[in-house]
Amino acid sequence: MSKFVRLARTISSSSALFPHPFKHSSFTAANYSHSVSVVVPDTETQQTNSTNSANSPSSFRIRKKAQSRRNSAFTHTNNNTAVELAFNSVVKIFTVSCSPNYLLPWQNKSQRESMGSGFVIPGRKILTNAHVVADHSFVLVRKHGSPNKYRAQVKAVGHECDLALLIVDSDEFWDGMIPLEFGDIPFLQQAVAVVGYPQGGDTISVTKGVVSRVEPTQYVHGASQLMAIQIDAAINPGNSGGPAIMGKKVAGVAFQNLSGAENIGYIIPVPVIKHFISGVEENGKYIGFCSLGLSCQTTENVHLRNHFGMQPGMTGVLVNKINPLSDAYKVLKKDDIILSFDGVSIANDGTVPFRNRERITFDHLVSMKKLNEKAVVRVLRDGQEIELSIILQPIQPLVPVHQFDKLPSYYIFAGLVFVPLTQPYLHEYGEDWYNASPRRLCERALRELPKKENQQLVILSQVLMDDINAGYERLADLQVLKVNGTEIDNLEHLCELVENCNTDSLHFDLDDNRVIVLNCEAAKIATSRILKRHRIPSSMSADLINAQNNLQLGVTSSC
């Protein structure tokens, strides 16, 4: 289980602030400013002097003091630069959100308020974290030094990369606001300043740190693996969405820290940010990050390499599973050895060269590809090296990892509540959902691959008790396989089969060889009675109502 936590600050108490797939810990309320010394070449100490006085202890102390003063002045200048930029660029974001209740999908959870940070970028847009505005119903922004809050609209959200774009229509808001420019990925030990509105106060705050690591990291909000920069600056709740500034340019966006550790924060690097923004500009909405759709294994074991015919000096990774919905499914085969990606050799541990003596997993090269862009992979298959071309696209898992900004689907018939299996549904079992949720459903959610487009795993989530379903109440949390002998593809398909049933009885085949049989007409009458008793406004969610309407009009729909 991950120890990363996101950093939006919540006013009301709600576990919905924290990422469902991972455990979280409590935040510390204190702001911490970590002072960093930046090494500046000392010209005095570089000069050679044959006199004894130049090498005396007193002379050495004088030179060290001079260097210390220059280092302090350099750090102070960087800090002032970050503050000056922040005054005209960084904003505080106030979000009112309402998350859905996946156990009672016709209801929402209690409204909650949270705060985060953001900053202005070219094009009169504000960049922030996706988790700052997730499931939002109302968003306001306030610039530094202003008592007024301005209504903001969410233009695009990328929950996978934890980024969002906001727009503000008010011309008054934009008066005096200066957009920040993006820089490059900082090198190790370079100093950065994180600017935002963390808890502990209402005004702008600047914390300093140095870059300690650059590598793919688990993005806790979207449960994805993308490049991130680790820094030793204190990033507290409320810092989310604030810029990390290096010199006069943005080096990244603050978004999470590591629980149980002191002063370990993470920022989203510029390549990920630019990929998100360019994708929105080119497609009009967020599309996602590309994937090969593979499960690969390292080939560090010599016996494994020998078994698959890898020659000395040959390196790569072993293909274990391929997502049937990916283009790689048509091109690659199980037990292929991927030797290189776009001409970049892949090491036996799955890494590729990155900058000066650094390495990074080859997944980063894949994720930076644009939608429908081709990639050339060199593969070892049955002892022969071949080059193959693969079209890259974002690939959705069989069981969705998150469902932010989207109402859950449901269908109720005779008190039987059918829903598609999602990880947010399993998260309703609590913080320790991995162990507390039904084991069979959990394993399928994490490991099973889709077999066809628009496929869903549909489950019977609960039984709303009535005479019509007495005796079936213990069959909750089982997957629904067939309706009247027809294998179901998704919840929309199940709804269609039930609503259009023209036989006397309905027969549901469930997982574990369980069966539910109902009289069709009696069940339809009971449905209205049960909905009224539980004050449920509709027997199906809005998306299924639209699908039914489209079906009647002869329009093809997809779930």
Side-chain angles (χ1 to χ4, degrees):
M1 304 293 284
S2 173
K3 296 182 180 179
F4 297 113
V5 290
R6 352 175 248 198
L7 298 170
R9 175 185 170 193
T10 298
I11 298 175
S12 60
S13 176
S14 171
S15 62
L17 170 64
F18 297 93
H20 291 303
F22 307 97
K23 293 183 178 180
H24 63 268
S25 64
S26 59
F27 294 117
T28 55
N31 289 327
Y32 175 77
S33 180
H34 180 64
S35 180
V36 180
S37 295
V38 181
V39 177
V40 178
D42 187 354
T43 56
E44 294 179 23
T45 58
Q46 291 176 355
Q47 295 176 353
T48 57
N49 194 322
S50 59
T51 61
N52 293 332
S53 61
N55 295 320
S56 66
S58 60
S59 176
F60 180 76
R61 284 195 298 270
I62 292 172
R63 289 197 299 270
K64 291 295 289 182
K65 287 180 180 179
Q67 180 178 343
S68 177
R69 286 195 297 271
R70 285 192 294 272
N71 289 348
S72 177
F74 184 83
T75 302
H76 182 70
T77 301
N78 272 356
N79 187 32
N80 286 344
T81 301
V83 173
E84 290 169 3
L85 289 172
F87 284 164
N88 300 315
S89 303
V90 181
V91 299
K92 189 170 187 176
I93 300 174
F94 304 83
T95 304
V96 178
S97 58
C98 201
S99 301
N101 186 335
Y102 287 91
L103 294 181
L104 303 173
W106 52 88
Q107 295 181 2
N108 281 333
K109 294 179 180 178
S110 299
Q111 177 177 286
R112 65 183 179 88
E113 299 175 352
S114 61
M115 292 182 293
S117 306
F119 60 97
V120 176
I121 63 174
R124 285 170 61 115
K125 299 182 186 74
I126 297 172
L127 184 66
T128 186
N129 284 142
H131 73 258
V132 172
V133 295
D135 293 322
H136 67 278
S137 57
F138 200 76
V139 180
L140 296 171
V141 297
R142 189 187 72 197
K143 56 185 181 179
H144 175 70
S146 173
N148 301 322
K149 298 176 183 176
Y150 300 85
R151 180 70 186 276
Q153 296 178 348
V154 179
K155 176 179 174 61
V157 179
H159 293 290
E160 184 181 14
C161 57
D162 202 359
L163 292 170
L165 289 174
L166 311 182
I167 55 175
V168 179
D169 292 331
S170 172
D171 291 331
E172 179 185 340
F173 168 81
W174 292 104
D175 184 28
M177 297 299 287
I178 300 175
L180 294 179
E181 296 181 6
F182 294 110
D184 298 319
I185 301 176
F187 287 91
L188 301 183
Q189 291 301 303
Q190 279 195 297
V192 296
V194 178
V195 187
Y197 292 87
Q199 65 180 15
D202 192 47
T203 58
I204 210 163
S205 170
V206 181
T207 54
K208 296 177 293 177
V210 296
V211 174
S212 53
R213 187 176 291 153
V214 180
E215 64 181 1
T217 302
Q218 191 81 35
Y219 279 41
V220 66
H221 176 71
S224 56
Q225 191 90 1
L226 294 171
M227 179 189 282
I229 301 171
Q230 180 181 313
I231 60 176
D232 68 351
I235 301 179
N236 296 306
N239 264 128
S240 287
I245 299 175
M246 183 177 64
K248 293 185 178 181
K249 293 186 177 181
V250 174
V253 177
F255 75 118
Q256 65 187 30
N257 66 13
L258 188 63
S259 64
E262 292 186 5
N263 304 323
I264 296 181
Y266 292 85
I267 60 177
I268 303 171
V270 171
V272 176
I273 298 170
K274 287 184 175 180
H275 190 283
F276 164 73
I277 294 174
S278 63
V280 172
E281 292 175 348
E282 293 173 7
N283 301 285
K285 61 179 181 179
Y286 173 73
I287 298 297
F289 285 73
C290 291
S291 169
L292 281 172
L294 304 177
S295 174
C296 295
Q297 177 183 341
T298 63
T299 59
E300 296 173 284
N301 184 275
V302 63
H303 304 289
L304 181 70
R305 294 197 299 272
N306 292 338
H307 174 78
F308 287 101
M310 296 178 68
Q311 300 299 318
M314 188 178 288
T315 62
V317 291
L318 174 67
V319 176
N320 297 132
K321 289 196 300 184
I322 310 174
N323 191 313
L325 301 185
S326 68
D327 188 63
Y329 190 77
K330 309 170 189 174
V331 178
L332 297 178
K333 294 182 179 180
K334 186 180 182 302
D335 293 339
D336 279 349
I337 303 290
I338 302 179
L339 305 175
S340 67
F341 181 88
D342 273 347
V344 180
S345 297
I346 302 173
N348 291 330
D349 63 353
T351 63
V352 294
F354 174 67
R355 301 195 307 193
N356 181 29
R357 299 180 64 185
E358 295 179 66
R359 300 193 68 83
I360 195 168
T361 59
F362 87 98
D363 290 338
H364 172 67
L365 301 180
V366 179
S367 64
M368 290 296 102
K369 286 286 189 177
K370 292 184 178 181
L371 177 68
N372 294 325
E373 189 175 355
K374 286 187 178 181
V376 177
V377 293
R378 190 164 186 80
V379 170
L380 178 67
R381 178 183 296 171
D382 299 327
Q384 300 294 321
E385 290 187 44
I386 55 176
E387 277 197 356
L388 303 170
S389 179
I390 299 176
I391 298 175
L392 297 177
Q393 292 179 326
I395 300 174
Q396 301 303 320
L398 174 61
V399 177
V401 176
H402 54 74
Q403 294 275 274
F404 297 108
D405 307 321
K406 180 181 178 182
L407 295 175
S409 300
Y410 71 90
Y411 176 60
I412 302 174
F413 184 76
L416 307 177
V417 182
F418 301 103
V419 300
L421 179 62
T422 63
Q423 282 201 29
Y425 173 83
L426 297 176
H427 301 157
E428 297 287 0
Y429 281 87
E431 187 176 320
D432 192 26
W433 63 270
Y434 181 80
N435 294 313
S437 61
R439 173 56 50 191
R440 189 173 300 182
L441 294 183
C442 188
E443 289 299 317
R444 288 177 181 174
L446 297 175
R447 308 187 193 285
E448 197 160 329
L449 296 174
K451 297 181 177 65
K452 60 181 75 172
E453 200 77 35
N454 295 326
Q455 183 184 358
Q456 291 176 327
L457 297 185
V458 180
I459 62 173
L460 173 62
S461 67
Q462 62 177 304
V463 178
L464 305 176
M465 285 304 300
D466 186 81
D467 291 336
I468 191 74
N469 55 43
Y472 294 144
E473 61 273 11
R474 294 182 181 274
L475 300 181
D477 282 329
L478 289 177
Q479 182 182 348
V480 185
L481 304 176
K482 297 179 181 178
V483 174
N484 282 351
T486 301
E487 188 174 333
I488 64 170
D489 296 330
N490 47 53
L491 183 61
E492 181 184 322
H493 188 206
L494 179 146
C495 177
E496 179 186 338
L497 292 172
V498 173
E499 291 292 315
N500 296 330
C501 177
N502 53 16
T503 60
D504 291 338
S505 63
L506 263 171
H507 187 283
F508 297 91
D509 287 312
L510 308 181
D511 199 10
D512 203 22
N513 296 315
R514 303 303 174 119
V515 175
I516 291 178
V517 179
L518 296 170
N519 179 274
C520 193
E521 289 303 318
K524 289 180 180 178
I525 297 172
T527 299
S528 299
R529 180 174 67 241
I530 295 169
L531 293 176
K532 184 177 180 181
R533 182 187 304 148
H534 289 271
R535 299 174 185 151
I536 301 174
S538 175
S539 64
M540 61 183 76
S541 54
D543 60 323
L544 294 184
I545 294 175
N546 293 334
Q548 289 291 309
N549 293 337
N550 291 336
L551 191 63
Q552 293 174 3
L553 296 172
V555 179
T556 303
S557 63
S558 61
C559 62

